């Protein structure tokens, strides 16, 4: 999935990478992608479970990276997302030369202290100043869709003026 060069004024090159065990995080990523594209941005879609991370990262650095993850046992980041993080680090170095915003899905039934733990770990690792989007299990209805759109708009707005969240 090669990147294209941004030609439209204000258009961002967005890398949207996610790990999804049951499809919940993929559904959130789909809504985020649709919102980004509706606002005129180019999105490179990377399902880290199925995609070739190295091939997507072979192109120039994106304007913005959106990372999404489900949360593994006791609030941990799943191995496939850790591999993606390592690939980002190896390709672009740390700190990354572009902002990172993180979203996640989780289940409060496993404990509030673990809820969306992977998303919060990723945000801390990348020193993201953007808010973390948390969705309980899978997005349901207008309220979750509104929250996803609001988060997407929030993380896109500052980057268009070269600031971070």
């Amino acid at each position: 999935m090669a990147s294209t060069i941004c030609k439209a004024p204000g258009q961002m090159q967005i890398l949207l990478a996610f790990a999804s065990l049951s499809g919940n995080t993929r559904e959130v990523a789909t809504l985020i992608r649709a919102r980004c594209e509706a606002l005129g941005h180019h999105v490179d879609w990377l399902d880290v479970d199925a995609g070739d991370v190295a091939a997507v990262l072979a192109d120039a650095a994106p304007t913005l990276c959106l990372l999404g993850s489900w949360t593994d046992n006791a609030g941990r980041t799943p191995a496939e997302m850790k591999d993606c993080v390592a690939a980002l680090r190896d390709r672009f170095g740390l700190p990354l030369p572009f902002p990172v915003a993180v979203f996640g899905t989780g289940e409060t039934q496993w404990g509030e202290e673990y809820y969306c733990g992977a998303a919060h770990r990723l945000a801390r690792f990348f020193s993201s100043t953007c808010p973390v989007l948390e969705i309980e299990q899978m997005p349901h209805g207008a309220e979750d869709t509104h929250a996803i759109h609001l988060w997407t708009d929030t993380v896109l707005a500052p980057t268009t003026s070269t600031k971070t969240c």
Side-chain angles (χ1 to χ4, degrees), residues 28-159:
V28 175
T30 299
L31 293 168
I32 292 169
R33 178 184 191 178
R35 184 67 169 189
C36 291
E37 290 176 343
L39 294 170
H41 303 293
H42 177 83
V43 178
D44 283 321
W45 176 262
L46 177 56
D47 178 341
V48 301
D49 298 314
D52 183 356
V53 176
V56 172
L57 298 181
D59 293 331
T63 311
L64 173 66
C65 180
L66 305 176
L67 294 178
S69 184
W70 60 283
T71 296
D72 204 351
N73 185 30
R76 303 264 189 244
T77 305
E80 56 274 17
M81 182 50 75
K82 288 180 181 178
D83 291 344
C84 178
V85 167
L88 282 166
R89 179 204 60 218
D90 293 348
R91 170 66 177 91
F92 299 110
L94 289 176
L96 294 176
F98 44 84
V100 175
V102 183
F103 62 96
T105 56
E107 297 185 34
T108 54
Q109 70 178 342
W110 304 118
E112 286 290 331
E113 68 273 23
Y114 303 127
Y115 179 63
C116 291
H120 289 283
R121 286 172 184 263
L122 289 166
R124 280 191 305 273
F125 180 81
F126 289 111
S127 301
S128 178
T129 58
C130 299
V132 174
L133 174 64
E134 302 172 340
I135 298 293
E136 175 84 20
Q137 297 181 344
M138 69 182 317
H140 296 298
E143 187 176 324
D144 282 344
T145 299
H146 176 72
I148 292 165
H149 286 177
L150 182 62
W151 178 84
T152 304
D153 293 350
T154 299
V155 300
L156 292 177
T159 55

